[in-house]
């Protein structure tokens, strides 16, 4: 048969994750620290809103850019939070959908994209598929934002800097000082910041600082998946200041010929989600973070996570992949750090699981070093 698969598929290497899932398939009742989604269910009130929307007939395409009421409410909240007048808004199929549209709208072959390493997996592979060049900025060992290194890496080909705070996989939330410095650099060098704030509500030790407050060159991506546990509903949004509306317009044009629109009944439920208070969930996740961190800190090298629901832990021994295999053989599912990084020294724990599971997993991991 003729070669039918496009060359670009080779630019995605999913082997690390596949290996974990292949090993995991053989396990019975493992401690699952691998999943990047909340363990609670969608709040009842929001489920009811979605059911009501389906019953009331909101089952057809919505406008490409999203339900008018939802868009208006997002715009109003954005204006209130960042002081942006007339922000441009696009409702997307999750933050993943927003990322793909943003990259399709912005990246030319040869463009350089600055990405702090470790990073969310999708960035690297999508940038590569589009012919862009990832410029990774090493943030080891404490995973703070290395603002000076970022400034030095900017060239005439730099298209954007990706900022993911709170960060997957490190659990780090960048400080006000780091954010201010990066905003200054973006303004001085006229560079776009793509702010992936999918975990913005999951901050445990103080307030979250969004770069959007300080930088009008921000393309903001936020989502509904993580705060309301609706990862399967595929909802997020992109927003930008009025001066960047062209970016949102181009993303909308591409949405028209790809996703068409985000799921219509769930957009209706998202209107209510924007007012839904998740403080209780965040408090529960802070407690999980504490159980995990207190359980591991004397045996492993790890930075105390302050956001999202991940810990990025240094593996004992030479290679993190080897340690991950050992952990999986002992019934604990973790993800090797090289899935999220150019290095193979750490592993990622997602503590979005039951407290007893966390305690069980901690005990097993402790016994392995
Ligand atoms: N960005 C980051 C940093 C993530 O960790 C994830 C999901 O794990 C996403 C984006 C995608 O989220 P969504 O479900 O909204 O597509």
């Amino acid at each position: 048969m003729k070669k039918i698969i496009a060359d670009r598929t080779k630019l995605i290497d999913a082997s690390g994750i596949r290996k974990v899932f292949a090993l995991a398939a053989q396990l019975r009742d493992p401690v699952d620290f691998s999943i990047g989604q909340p363990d609670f269910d969608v709040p009842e009130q929001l489920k009811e809103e979605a059911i009501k929307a389906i019953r009331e007939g909101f089952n057809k395409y919505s406008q490409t850019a999203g339900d008018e009421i939802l868009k208006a409410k997002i715009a109003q909240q954005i204006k209130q939070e960042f002081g942006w007048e007339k922000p441009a808004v696009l409702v997307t199929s999750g933050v993943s959908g927003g990322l793909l549209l943003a990259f399709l709208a912005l990246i030319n072959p040869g463009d350089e994209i600055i990405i702090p390493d470790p990073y969310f997996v999708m960035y690297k592979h999508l940038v590569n598929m589009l012919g862009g060049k990832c410029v990774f900025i090493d943030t080891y060992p404490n995973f703070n934002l290395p603002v000076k290194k970022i400034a030095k890496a900017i060239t005439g080909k730099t298209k954007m800097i990706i900022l993911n705070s709170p960060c997957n996989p490190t659990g780090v939330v960048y400080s006000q000082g780091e954010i201010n410095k990066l905003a200054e650099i973006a303004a001085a060098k006229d560079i776009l910041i793509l702010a992936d704030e999918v975990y913005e509500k999951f901050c445990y030790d103080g307030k979250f600082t969004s770069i959007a407050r300080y930088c009008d060159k921000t393309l903001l991506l936020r989502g509904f998946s993580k705060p309301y546990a609706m990862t399967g509903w595929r909802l997020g949004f992109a927003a930008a200041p009025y001066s960047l509306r062209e970016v949102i317009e181009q993303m909308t044009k591409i949405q028209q010929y790809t996703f068409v629109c985000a799921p219509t009944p769930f957009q209706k439920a998202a209107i209510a989600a924007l007012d839904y208070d998740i403080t209780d969930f965040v408090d529960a996740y802070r407690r999980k973070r504490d159980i995990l961190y207190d359980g591991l800190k004397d045996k492993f090298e790890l930075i105390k996570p302050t956001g999202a629901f991940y810990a990025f832990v240094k593996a004992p021994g030479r290679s993190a992949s080897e340690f991950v295999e050992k952990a999986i053989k002992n019934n604990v599912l973790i993800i090797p750090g090289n899935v999220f990084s150019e290095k193979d020294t750490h592993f990622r724990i997602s503590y979005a699981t039951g407290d007893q599971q966390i305690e069980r997993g901690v005990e097993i991991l402790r016994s392995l070093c």
Side-chain angles (χ1 to χ4, degrees):
M1 193 164 82
K2 253 197 341 204
K3 181 172 157 284
I4 57 169
I5 304 298
D7 294 341
R8 75 175 72 86
T9 62
K10 294 193 196 105
L11 299 171
I12 296 182
D13 175 17
S15 55
I17 291 271
R18 268 207 306 269
K19 207 166 159 187
V20 171
F21 289 136
L23 285 167
Q26 302 156 16
L27 302 180
R28 281 187 57 210
D29 190 25
V31 174
D32 193 347
F33 281 155
S34 72
I35 295 181
Q37 61 184 346
D39 68 324
F40 57 91
D41 198 4
V42 176
E44 285 305 314
Q45 184 204 331
L46 303 182
K47 285 187 196 168
E48 290 302 329
E49 292 287 338
I51 292 164
K52 187 165 117 236
I54 289 171
R55 293 228 163 91
E56 286 179 356
F58 291 102
N59 300 305
K60 308 281 197 298
Y61 303 126
S62 74
Q63 296 287 317
T64 306
D67 179 276
E68 283 301 331
I69 301 170
L70 175 60
K71 267 178 50 191
K73 191 155 182 176
I74 292 169
Q76 180 211 334
Q77 291 194 351
I78 292 285
K79 184 177 168 194
Q80 207 173 8
E81 193 175 346
F82 307 131
W84 291 354
E85 285 298 332
K86 293 205 279 176
V89 174
L90 164 65
V91 181
T92 57
S93 288
V95 172
S96 311
L99 281 168
L100 180 63
L101 295 175
F103 289 174
L104 284 168
L106 294 167
I107 298 177
N108 278 324
D111 281 351
E112 292 176 0
I113 316 300
I114 295 183
I115 305 175
D117 174 347
Y119 45 79
F120 173 52
V121 271
M122 209 177 267
Y123 309 146
K124 170 179 172 171
H125 299 300
L126 290 183
V127 169
N128 285 344
M129 273 217 297
L130 294 171
K133 182 178 165 218
C134 297
V135 177
F136 295 114
I137 308 293
D138 190 326
T139 71
Y140 291 81
N142 57 17
F143 310 123
N144 292 339
L145 194 64
V147 189
K148 281 195 185 135
K149 277 199 229 168
I150 290 177
K152 264 197 189 155
I154 294 173
T155 71
K157 288 185 178 168
T158 305
K159 182 50 77 68
M160 68 176 119
I161 300 167
I162 297 182
L163 189 71
N164 173 217
S165 178
C167 176
N168 174 9
T170 63
V172 166
V173 182
Y174 298 130
S175 70
Q176 176 86 51
E178 290 166 323
I179 294 291
N180 285 346
K181 279 191 206 134
L182 189 68
E184 275 170 30
I185 292 165
K189 306 251 183 179
D190 193 21
I191 302 278
L192 183 74
I193 305 285
L194 186 151
D196 177 344
E197 297 186 354
V198 77
Y199 297 104
E200 146 258 348
K201 293 217 175 357
F202 293 89
C203 282
Y204 308 120
D205 306 317
K207 255 185 89 106
F208 169 67
T209 307
S210 172
I211 193 152
R213 183 101 189 77
Y214 305 95
C215 174
D216 61 2
K217 296 197 161 41
T218 302
L219 172 59
L220 177 71
L221 300 182
R222 283 190 179 174
F224 295 86
S225 285
K226 313 284 174 169
Y228 313 107
M230 43 180 77
T231 49
W233 287 18
R234 311 309 308 131
L235 272 183
F237 66 85
Y242 188 70
S243 55
L244 282 181
R245 66 192 178 284
E246 163 89 20
V247 176
I248 297 290
E249 281 163 17
Q250 293 304 323
M251 288 169 67
T252 307
K253 189 171 79 184
I254 301 171
Q255 170 133 295
Q256 196 176 340
Y257 294 110
T258 51
F259 298 95
V260 180
C261 63
T264 305
F266 297 140
Q267 290 193 60
K268 286 291 181 197
I271 298 167
L274 286 173
D275 289 328
Y276 193 89
D277 181 10
I278 62 154
T279 307
D280 289 351
F281 294 128
V282 175
D283 288 345
Y285 275 58
R286 182 182 300 104
R287 197 189 58 241
K288 291 177 195 297
R289 185 272 314 258
D290 290 342
I291 298 171
L292 183 86
Y293 179 70
D294 292 341
L296 294 181
K297 68 180 181 205
D298 64 320
K299 282 266 191 179
F300 289 87
E301 216 179 299
L302 82 155
I303 300 294
K304 187 174 189 180
T306 49
F309 30 75
Y310 308 105
F312 206 54
V313 185
K314 180 130 195 297
R318 268 179 303 122
S319 118
S321 300
E322 276 171 28
F323 181 78
V324 169
E325 273 189 43
K326 194 160 121 188
I328 294 174
K329 281 185 188 137
N330 283 274
N331 236 18
V332 180
L333 291 181
I334 49 178
I335 307 279
N338 61 359
V339 167
F340 313 94
S341 176
E342 302 307 289
K343 292 190 178 186
D344 182 27
T345 51
H346 288 60
F347 59 91
R348 190 192 77 173
I349 292 179
S350 163
Y351 53 85
T353 183
D355 294 6
Q356 282 179 348
Q357 289 287 86
I358 300 175
E359 279 159 12
R360 223 180 105 210
V362 161
E363 204 174 301
I364 299 173
L365 289 173
R366 287 177 66 89
S367 72
L368 297 178
C369 60

